Amino acid sequence: MDRTEAKAILSAYRADMPDIDEAVFAEALAMAEQDPELAQWFEDEQNFDEIFAGKLADVQPPADLKDKLLALDPDRKTIPFPEQSAPEPAASSPIPGQRPWWKRSSIISIAATVVILFGFGAILLDPSQVEAEPDLDQYYDRIGEHFARDPKLSANVSDLDQIRHQLNSSGLRAPGMLPPKVDALAEVGFGTFEINGKLISFIEMKGDDTFCLYLLDKSLGKGRVPDNGIPVVFQRKDLSIMAWQGPENLCVLIVRAPVAEMDDLL
């Protein structure tokens, strides 16, 4: 099974489906656990489905929809369209065994389509509800997955001032003053990756292990990371993370090591 086949199968997966046959999805789900790119796609797909389903649940059909459907011409048994140039044949009696017009699948489909399109309209009027900005925990997950893939550097640069200059000249986030022990780590280079269409800059550093410093919008840390510059340190899966508010950025330093190694940088 390749990634395309797995996506086709997983696009139909809903964890809350009644009587779901997990065996049908087992191979694709297992593949998603091993493939970070597929896992990210699957997470985005499930998030979109949840938001979309919530939107549809909130949709109220037009108040006069029932009246309009019931007002359809019962003799013609169809929705009236503009008259054609050719004369219409006279209405005939219902064919024996024919379903009443109000039970026909075509009418039911039209009514369902009206409701669905109404729901699409509500979403299109407020697209931010579909592509909601990820919260800080989701950013931690995204940059953790990026770090786990051994990210490629845009440039190998060992001087932090030069890295600052190149990031600033490219219109990207650049680090300000760093905590002394973080500043003492050896710079290797820098690069970028994308989250929700936004370029996130990062700097790779070396100590006893490989570190990556990610630079995010300060607003993401509001209420989560002290605004006085004091770092918070915690473990997330197999990664140790230090986060602090710089003058212009929310700085997130990541290493794959016990949290004690990050504590040593405080």
Side-chain angles (χ1 to χ4, degrees), residues 143 146-147 149-157 160 163-164 167 172-175 187-194 199-205 210-216 252-254:
I143 62 180
H146 176 260
F147 178 67
R149 294 197 293 270
D150 190 18
K152 294 182 180 179
L153 301 176
S154 302
N156 296 298
V157 182
L160 185 56
I163 290 175
R164 287 190 180 105
L167 287 172
L172 298 167
R173 293 187 179 278
E187 288 76 34
V188 176
F190 67 91
T192 62
F193 78 111
E194 191 174 296
L199 281 179
I200 308 299
S201 50
F202 68 93
I203 300 169
E204 187 171 307
M205 302 172 163
T210 297
F211 294 77
C212 262
L213 174 64
Y214 293 86
L215 305 168
L216 308 176
V252 180
L253 186 68
I254 291 184

Side-chain angles (χ1 to χ4, degrees), residues 28-78:
L29 288 169
M31 185 174 175
E33 291 179 358
Q34 303 298 321
D35 184 333
E37 182 176 336
L38 181 60
Q40 185 59 60
W41 173 89
F42 185 44
E43 179 184 346
D44 292 342
E45 181 82 359
Q46 294 293 293
N47 288 339
F48 176 88
D49 288 343
E50 183 177 350
I51 294 170
F52 187 74
K55 275 291 184 182
L56 285 183
D58 293 338
V59 169
Q60 295 295 325
D64 60 350
L65 177 61
K66 179 180 178 181
D67 292 336
K68 285 183 177 180
L69 290 175
L70 293 176
L72 298 178
D73 187 345
D75 292 325
R76 296 178 63 176
K77 305 177 184 63
T78 185

Side-chain angles (χ1 to χ4, degrees), residues 95-138:
I95 300 172
Q98 189 177 44
R99 298 179 70 189
W101 68 269
W102 62 86
K103 293 185 179 179
R104 288 189 187 180
S105 59
S106 59
I107 297 299
I108 295 171
S109 297
I110 290 168
T113 301
V114 170
V115 173
I116 291 172
L117 289 178
F118 189 76
F120 268 117
I123 291 170
L124 292 174
L125 286 174
D126 188 8
S128 64
Q129 296 301 312
V130 176
E131 295 189 13
E133 179 69 15
D135 63 18
L136 185 54
D137 284 328
Q138 290 172 315

